[in-house]
Amino acid sequence: MNGKGEQFNTDQSPLSSQLRVPQLVGGLTRHDSKDKWRSAVLGERATVSSATASDESGALTEHVVRAFARIAAHSPGGSLIAAYVPARSEPGSIAMLDGLAACRARVLLPVTAPGNTLDWALYDPDQPLVAARYGLQEPGGTRLGMDALSEAELIIVPALAVDRQGVRLGRGAGYYDRALAVSPLQCPVIAIVRDSEFVAELPESPHDRRVDGVITPDLGLIRLD
């Protein structure tokens, strides 16, 4: 995490070598295909009860706000933090976005664009999100262009799984791989997953950008050095 700047100087410690990192049922390893991993994760998410999902969302909101509130508080104009609107079974909630906004953060949200790319727009807690393709919800405000992400001081991304080396498993369309290519290397990228989705090893492709940290409901923020 060296070189990531003051904005990532939280109280959380780097990943301990003694921390138990789970593996999904089925004994998948980095030698299994990404599609096999995606199928396993999505299958497990489909079994999560609404009560468990609600409890996990509440815990994630607390971790996100606790870890990153001071980023916004220390910026005169409010720091720009990129986040996402959880879709389907993705961990997280709108409350997480509201919590960041309440801390004076300007929250940047993705908007799907042609060519499997992401545009960006600011989140306004007072304005409803609008329905978009693939069952997503997006801000209805001004599109700021793909390069808007390059101004973010912190990027919070969804993931299907993350391993202890920072390898992130996405859904396979490449939206975030292309988006993160325009973000500065010193900008921390933090993925949010369920506890069972923070695993020992994942398959990795040459174009994958590793994340700098992970947040889970039970563990909170873990920095990945």
Side-chain angles (χ1 to χ4, degrees), residues 129-159:
L129 297 168
V130 299
R133 292 183 297 174
Y134 314 122
L136 301 176
Q137 291 182 291
E138 301 172 344
T142 303
R143 276 33 177 174
L144 302 177
M146 291 183 290
D147 290 341
L149 190 65
S150 65
E151 302 298 320
E153 297 177 51
L154 173 77
I155 302 172
I156 301 173
V157 298

Short mmCIF file of all heavy atoms in Angstrom, two decimals, residues 129-159:
data_model
loop_
_atom_site.label_atom_id
_atom_site.label_comp_id
_atom_site.label_asym_id
_atom_site.label_seq_id
_atom_site.Cartn_x
_atom_site.Cartn_y
_atom_site.Cartn_z
N LEU A 129 -32.52 7.66 -8.00
CA LEU A 129 -31.76 7.02 -9.05
C LEU A 129 -32.72 6.56 -10.14
O LEU A 129 -33.91 6.35 -9.89
CB LEU A 129 -30.99 5.83 -8.48
CG LEU A 129 -29.92 6.17 -7.44
CD1 LEU A 129 -29.44 4.89 -6.74
CD2 LEU A 129 -28.74 6.89 -8.08
N VAL A 130 -32.22 6.40 -11.34
CA VAL A 130 -33.07 6.00 -12.46
C VAL A 130 -32.71 4.59 -12.91
O VAL A 130 -31.56 4.15 -12.79
CB VAL A 130 -32.95 6.99 -13.64
CG1 VAL A 130 -33.39 8.39 -13.20
CG2 VAL A 130 -31.52 7.04 -14.16
N ALA A 131 -33.70 3.88 -13.41
CA ALA A 131 -33.48 2.52 -13.91
C ALA A 131 -32.64 2.56 -15.18
O ALA A 131 -32.79 3.45 -16.02
CB ALA A 131 -34.81 1.84 -14.18
N ALA A 132 -31.73 1.60 -15.30
CA ALA A 132 -30.83 1.54 -16.45
C ALA A 132 -30.77 0.11 -16.97
O ALA A 132 -31.49 -0.78 -16.51
CB ALA A 132 -29.45 2.04 -16.06
N ARG A 133 -29.89 -0.11 -17.92
CA ARG A 133 -29.73 -1.45 -18.50
C ARG A 133 -29.26 -2.45 -17.46
O ARG A 133 -28.64 -2.08 -16.46
CB ARG A 133 -28.72 -1.41 -19.65
CG ARG A 133 -29.19 -0.63 -20.87
CD ARG A 133 -28.16 -0.72 -21.98
NE ARG A 133 -26.89 -0.10 -21.59
CZ ARG A 133 -25.79 -0.15 -22.35
NH1 ARG A 133 -25.80 -0.82 -23.49
NH2 ARG A 133 -24.68 0.46 -21.95
N TYR A 134 -29.55 -3.71 -17.72
CA TYR A 134 -29.09 -4.83 -16.89
C TYR A 134 -29.64 -4.78 -15.46
O TYR A 134 -29.06 -5.36 -14.55
CB TYR A 134 -27.56 -4.88 -16.85
CG TYR A 134 -26.89 -4.71 -18.19
CD1 TYR A 134 -25.98 -3.67 -18.41
CD2 TYR A 134 -27.17 -5.57 -19.25
CE1 TYR A 134 -25.37 -3.50 -19.64
CE2 TYR A 134 -26.56 -5.41 -20.49
CZ TYR A 134 -25.66 -4.38 -20.68
OH TYR A 134 -25.07 -4.22 -21.90
N GLY A 135 -30.74 -4.08 -15.26
CA GLY A 135 -31.32 -4.00 -13.93
C GLY A 135 -30.57 -3.08 -12.99
O GLY A 135 -30.78 -3.12 -11.77
N LEU A 136 -29.71 -2.21 -13.53
CA LEU A 136 -28.92 -1.30 -12.71
C LEU A 136 -29.70 -0.03 -12.39
O LEU A 136 -30.70 0.29 -13.03
CB LEU A 136 -27.62 -0.94 -13.44
CG LEU A 136 -26.70 -2.10 -13.82
CD1 LEU A 136 -25.51 -1.59 -14.62
CD2 LEU A 136 -26.22 -2.83 -12.57
N GLN A 137 -29.21 0.69 -11.39
CA GLN A 137 -29.72 2.02 -11.07
C GLN A 137 -28.58 3.01 -11.18
O GLN A 137 -27.45 2.73 -10.75
CB GLN A 137 -30.30 2.06 -9.65
CG GLN A 137 -31.58 1.27 -9.48
CD GLN A 137 -32.10 1.40 -8.06
OE1 GLN A 137 -31.51 0.90 -7.12
NE2 GLN A 137 -33.22 2.09 -7.91
N GLU A 138 -28.88 4.17 -11.75
CA GLU A 138 -27.85 5.15 -12.02
C GLU A 138 -28.33 6.56 -11.68
O GLU A 138 -29.53 6.82 -11.65
CB GLU A 138 -27.45 5.11 -13.50
CG GLU A 138 -26.94 3.76 -13.98
CD GLU A 138 -26.74 3.70 -15.48
OE1 GLU A 138 -27.27 4.58 -16.20
OE2 GLU A 138 -26.05 2.76 -15.92
N PRO A 139 -27.40 7.49 -11.43
CA PRO A 139 -27.79 8.88 -11.23
C PRO A 139 -28.39 9.46 -12.51
O PRO A 139 -27.96 9.08 -13.61
CB PRO A 139 -26.48 9.59 -10.87
CG PRO A 139 -25.49 8.52 -10.61
CD PRO A 139 -25.96 7.30 -11.33
N GLY A 140 -29.33 10.34 -12.37
CA GLY A 140 -29.94 10.95 -13.55
C GLY A 140 -29.31 12.27 -13.94
O GLY A 140 -29.76 12.92 -14.88
N GLY A 141 -28.26 12.68 -13.23
CA GLY A 141 -27.65 13.99 -13.47
C GLY A 141 -26.68 14.01 -14.63
O GLY A 141 -26.59 13.07 -15.43
N THR A 142 -25.92 15.08 -14.72
CA THR A 142 -24.99 15.31 -15.81
C THR A 142 -23.90 14.24 -15.88
O THR A 142 -23.30 13.89 -14.87
CB THR A 142 -24.31 16.68 -15.65
OG1 THR A 142 -25.32 17.69 -15.59
CG2 THR A 142 -23.38 16.98 -16.81
N ARG A 143 -23.70 13.71 -17.07
CA ARG A 143 -22.61 12.76 -17.29
C ARG A 143 -21.30 13.53 -17.34
O ARG A 143 -21.19 14.53 -18.05
CB ARG A 143 -22.80 12.01 -18.59
CG ARG A 143 -23.72 10.79 -18.58
CD ARG A 143 -24.86 10.84 -17.65
NE ARG A 143 -25.72 9.65 -17.76
CZ ARG A 143 -26.72 9.40 -16.98
NH1 ARG A 143 -27.03 10.25 -16.00
NH2 ARG A 143 -27.46 8.33 -17.13
N LEU A 144 -20.30 13.04 -16.63
CA LEU A 144 -19.04 13.75 -16.49
C LEU A 144 -17.93 13.19 -17.36
O LEU A 144 -16.83 13.74 -17.38
CB LEU A 144 -18.61 13.73 -15.02
CG LEU A 144 -19.61 14.32 -14.03
CD1 LEU A 144 -19.10 14.16 -12.61
CD2 LEU A 144 -19.88 15.79 -14.35
N GLY A 145 -18.21 12.10 -18.07
CA GLY A 145 -17.20 11.52 -18.95
C GLY A 145 -16.39 10.43 -18.26
O GLY A 145 -16.31 10.36 -17.03
N MET A 146 -15.78 9.58 -19.07
CA MET A 146 -15.02 8.45 -18.53
C MET A 146 -13.81 8.90 -17.71
O MET A 146 -13.38 8.21 -16.79
CB MET A 146 -14.58 7.53 -19.68
CG MET A 146 -15.73 6.79 -20.34
SD MET A 146 -15.17 5.65 -21.64
CE MET A 146 -14.62 6.81 -22.89
N ASP A 147 -13.26 10.06 -18.05
CA ASP A 147 -12.06 10.52 -17.36
C ASP A 147 -12.34 11.08 -15.98
O ASP A 147 -11.40 11.41 -15.24
CB ASP A 147 -11.35 11.59 -18.20
CG ASP A 147 -10.71 11.01 -19.46
OD1 ASP A 147 -10.51 9.79 -19.49
OD2 ASP A 147 -10.42 11.78 -20.39
N ALA A 148 -13.62 11.21 -15.61
CA ALA A 148 -13.95 11.76 -14.29
C ALA A 148 -13.34 10.91 -13.17
O ALA A 148 -13.01 11.42 -12.10
CB ALA A 148 -15.46 11.85 -14.12
N LEU A 149 -13.18 9.62 -13.43
CA LEU A 149 -12.63 8.74 -12.40
C LEU A 149 -11.20 9.12 -12.04
O LEU A 149 -10.75 8.85 -10.92
CB LEU A 149 -12.69 7.28 -12.88
CG LEU A 149 -12.38 6.21 -11.83
CD1 LEU A 149 -13.43 6.20 -10.73
CD2 LEU A 149 -12.29 4.83 -12.48
N SER A 150 -10.49 9.75 -12.95
CA SER A 150 -9.10 10.12 -12.69
C SER A 150 -8.97 11.17 -11.60
O SER A 150 -7.88 11.39 -11.07
CB SER A 150 -8.43 10.62 -13.97
OG SER A 150 -9.03 11.84 -14.41
N GLU A 151 -10.08 11.83 -11.24
CA GLU A 151 -10.06 12.85 -10.19
C GLU A 151 -10.39 12.28 -8.82
O GLU A 151 -10.29 12.99 -7.81
CB GLU A 151 -11.07 13.96 -10.53
CG GLU A 151 -10.82 14.65 -11.87
CD GLU A 151 -9.47 15.34 -11.92
OE1 GLU A 151 -9.08 15.95 -10.90
OE2 GLU A 151 -8.80 15.25 -12.97
N ALA A 152 -10.79 11.04 -8.76
CA ALA A 152 -11.19 10.45 -7.48
C ALA A 152 -10.00 10.26 -6.56
O ALA A 152 -8.89 9.96 -7.00
CB ALA A 152 -11.90 9.12 -7.71
N GLU A 153 -10.24 10.43 -5.26
CA GLU A 153 -9.21 10.20 -4.25
C GLU A 153 -9.29 8.79 -3.68
O GLU A 153 -8.36 8.32 -3.01
CB GLU A 153 -9.33 11.22 -3.13
CG GLU A 153 -9.10 12.64 -3.59
CD GLU A 153 -9.30 13.64 -2.47
OE1 GLU A 153 -8.72 13.45 -1.39
OE2 GLU A 153 -10.07 14.60 -2.68
N LEU A 154 -10.39 8.13 -3.93
CA LEU A 154 -10.61 6.77 -3.46
C LEU A 154 -11.65 6.14 -4.38
O LEU A 154 -12.60 6.80 -4.81
CB LEU A 154 -11.13 6.76 -2.02
CG LEU A 154 -11.56 5.40 -1.47
CD1 LEU A 154 -10.32 4.59 -1.09
CD2 LEU A 154 -12.46 5.56 -0.24
N ILE A 155 -11.46 4.86 -4.71
CA ILE A 155 -12.40 4.15 -5.58
C ILE A 155 -12.87 2.89 -4.86
O ILE A 155 -12.06 2.03 -4.49
CB ILE A 155 -11.74 3.78 -6.92
CG1 ILE A 155 -11.22 5.04 -7.63
CG2 ILE A 155 -12.73 3.04 -7.82
CD1 ILE A 155 -10.38 4.74 -8.87
N ILE A 156 -14.17 2.80 -4.64
CA ILE A 156 -14.78 1.63 -4.01
C ILE A 156 -15.49 0.84 -5.11
O ILE A 156 -16.36 1.39 -5.82
CB ILE A 156 -15.78 2.04 -2.92
CG1 ILE A 156 -15.08 2.88 -1.85
CG2 ILE A 156 -16.43 0.81 -2.29
CD1 ILE A 156 -16.03 3.47 -0.82
N VAL A 157 -15.13 -0.41 -5.28
CA VAL A 157 -15.66 -1.20 -6.40
C VAL A 157 -16.36 -2.46 -5.91
O VAL A 157 -16.03 -3.00 -4.85
CB VAL A 157 -14.53 -1.59 -7.38
CG1 VAL A 157 -13.87 -0.37 -7.98
CG2 VAL A 157 -13.48 -2.48 -6.70
N PRO A 158 -17.32 -2.94 -6.69
CA PRO A 158 -17.92 -4.25 -6.39
C PRO A 158 -17.00 -5.36 -6.85
O PRO A 158 -16.09 -5.14 -7.67
CB PRO A 158 -19.21 -4.23 -7.20
CG PRO A 158 -18.87 -3.38 -8.40
CD PRO A 158 -17.91 -2.33 -7.89
N ALA A 159 -17.20 -6.55 -6.35
CA ALA A 159 -16.41 -7.71 -6.76
C ALA A 159 -17.20 -8.97 -6.42
O ALA A 159 -18.05 -8.96 -5.52
CB ALA A 159 -15.05 -7.73 -6.07
#
